[in-house]
Amino acid sequence: MPIKPPIKPDAWLELPDGRIHSLTSKVTIGRSPDNDLPLPFAGVSRYHATVAYAATGPFSISDAGSTNGTFVNGLRVGQPAPLHDKDILNIGAATLRFHLAGNTDFATEAHIPVALRHPVLLVEESSIISDALTSLIRSLPEFMVAGHAKSAAEARRLSAELHPEAVIIDGSLEALGTLSLLRDLLAADPDTRALVLLDRADSDYMARLLRSGTLGCVLKDDPADEFHRALNSTLAGNVHLSRRVAASTLRYLAGSTDAGRREGPLGLTDRELEIFHLIGAGRQNRDIAVALGMSVKTVETHKENLKIKLGLPNASAVAERARNWVAGRADPS
């Protein structure tokens, strides 16, 4: 006779049209009408995902081998992921919200004393991405978020105050001075262990990140279990590149795609490339100066050098090329 699970807290999924679907021990989700919860939306596979009661938390969600993946708070699910009150689930074009009555504290992190969990510092400008990362880290029993910095200056201050065991940095090309921040953190504490999240596999930028001292690089749309492995490796002091990051970086280092003299943005120094990225992200001179800890006059000097190095006639041409570069469009070097 099977053992019955403990009495479950009331939980439900809020559907896109506002209706609710009560959760039982196991609920299958997919496009096929024979699922417990049929979702007739674009991008939903016939048998897409399963939400099930778990002894380690109230409920977890797992992907059923879908074509387009299952996402929790914007992060792709690989292994079963614990669910927490108000988590956002993306299944194809359908967006659902998980609810737990009374917001009962079944968070996985509660099973390990705070003193035994590894503190990490998040460096991320976007509150949406930060919330998703915080939720993901909450689901990893060995980690806890010790602080959240929204700027490079705040990251330097919190790192010195909190002494986190790992620093997770948004390394997107729009982020403020990631390369400089990495060097500053390592100069202040050579034992700093950094994991960088990237929007896309830019091989030149990834090579610069590794030279600047990062230990881990993963893409934001990599599966959650890939992020978990990277964070564990980073904490142990080992280099970890997700599969797509590693493939792109190795091709770059082998010279298969960037052989010969480095031209265009690839030929810029790290500082020039940071300023180039920030120009492409629409930052004004004063914002760039604050982000990189320099004077506005120095920023203007660097912009003049960019114009010369890139062979462009004026500042407008530099800005247009920078926007294309940040957006990942082909560079006409």
Side-chain angles (χ1 to χ4, degrees):
M1 180 176 180
I3 299 174
K4 292 183 179 180
I7 296 174
K8 302 180 295 298
D10 291 334
W12 65 94
L13 293 175
E14 180 183 342
L15 306 183
D17 60 4
R19 293 181 298 116
I20 66 171
H21 183 91
S22 296
L23 294 174
T24 57
S25 295
K26 182 178 179 181
V27 174
T28 59
I29 304 172
R31 192 178 70 253
S32 174
D34 59 352
N35 284 282
D36 299 314
L37 175 55
L39 285 181
F41 290 83
V44 178
S45 296
R46 286 180 57 80
Y47 302 99
H48 198 110
T50 300
V51 175
Y53 181 80
T56 56
F59 286 90
S60 65
I61 186 168
S62 57
D63 188 79
S66 67
T67 301
N68 297 312
T70 300
F71 295 80
V72 178
N73 299 320
L75 297 170
R76 188 165 187 163
V77 170
Q79 298 175 341
L83 293 173
H84 305 89
D85 188 47
K86 296 184 175 61
D87 276 350
I88 302 297
L89 314 182
N90 292 109
I91 297 176
T95 299
L96 296 77
R97 186 183 290 269
F98 173 78
H99 291 280
L100 189 60
N103 195 15
T104 307
D105 185 10
F106 276 81
T108 305
E109 65 182 20
H111 296 283
I112 295 183
V114 171
L116 299 181
R117 298 201 295 266
H118 303 294
V120 300
L121 171 64
L122 298 184
V123 184
E124 167 55 63
E125 289 183 295
S126 166
S127 59
I128 295 176
I129 296 175
S130 177
D131 289 347
L133 280 172
T134 299
S135 180
L136 174 59
I137 293 170
R138 281 176 52 200
S139 73
L140 307 178
E142 65 269 48
F143 296 100
M144 61 176 287
V145 177
H148 173 212
K150 292 189 176 182
S151 68
E154 190 177 12
R156 297 182 187 98
R157 177 180 62 80
L158 289 178
S159 181
E161 291 177 1
L162 301 174
H163 303 289
E165 295 186 32
V167 181
I168 302 172
I169 303 173
D170 177 7
S172 66
L173 301 187
E174 295 85 359
L176 296 180
T178 302
L179 298 173
S180 295
L181 174 59
L182 281 168
R183 288 192 292 269
D184 290 347
L185 293 178
L186 284 165
D189 181 3
D191 291 329
T192 296
R193 294 170 179 179
L195 170 64
V196 177
L197 304 179
L198 300 166
D199 283 336
R200 56 189 175 88
D202 181 328
S203 55
D204 174 71
Y205 189 55
M206 289 185 294
R208 291 174 190 257
L209 287 170
L210 291 170
R211 288 196 296 268
S212 296
T214 189
L215 289 175
C217 286
V218 297
L219 298 179
K220 290 179 181 177
D221 59 352
D222 277 331
D225 55 341
E226 181 74 69
F227 171 82
H228 191 189
R229 288 194 296 271
L231 188 51
N232 276 318
S233 294
T234 298
L235 190 69
N238 300 321
V239 173
H240 183 101
L241 307 179
S242 69
R243 182 179 58 81
R244 287 183 294 164
V245 169
S248 180
T249 303
L250 288 173
R251 284 196 301 270
Y252 173 80
L253 294 177
S256 61
T257 58
D258 294 297
R261 188 165 64 90
R262 292 162 61 85
E263 298 180 341
L266 298 180
L268 301 176
T269 66
D270 287 351
R271 178 48 60 90
E272 290 169 342
L273 188 65
E274 283 184 319
I275 292 174
F276 188 65
H277 287 162
L278 292 169
I279 293 171
R283 309 285 182 172
Q284 300 301 311
N285 288 356
R286 184 174 298 278
D287 297 328
I288 296 173
V290 171
L292 300 181
M294 60 176 63
S295 68
V296 173
K297 182 66 176 176
T298 301
V299 174
E300 293 171 348
T301 299
H302 277 297
K303 292 177 80 170
E304 282 298 313
N305 291 337
L306 286 173
K307 187 170 65 175
I308 295 170
K309 278 194 170 185
L310 298 175
L312 297 172
N314 50 50
S316 296
V318 172
E320 181 180 2
R321 189 163 179 185
R323 285 192 295 271
N324 288 336
W325 181 264
V326 167
R329 292 189 283 270
D331 188 73
S333 317

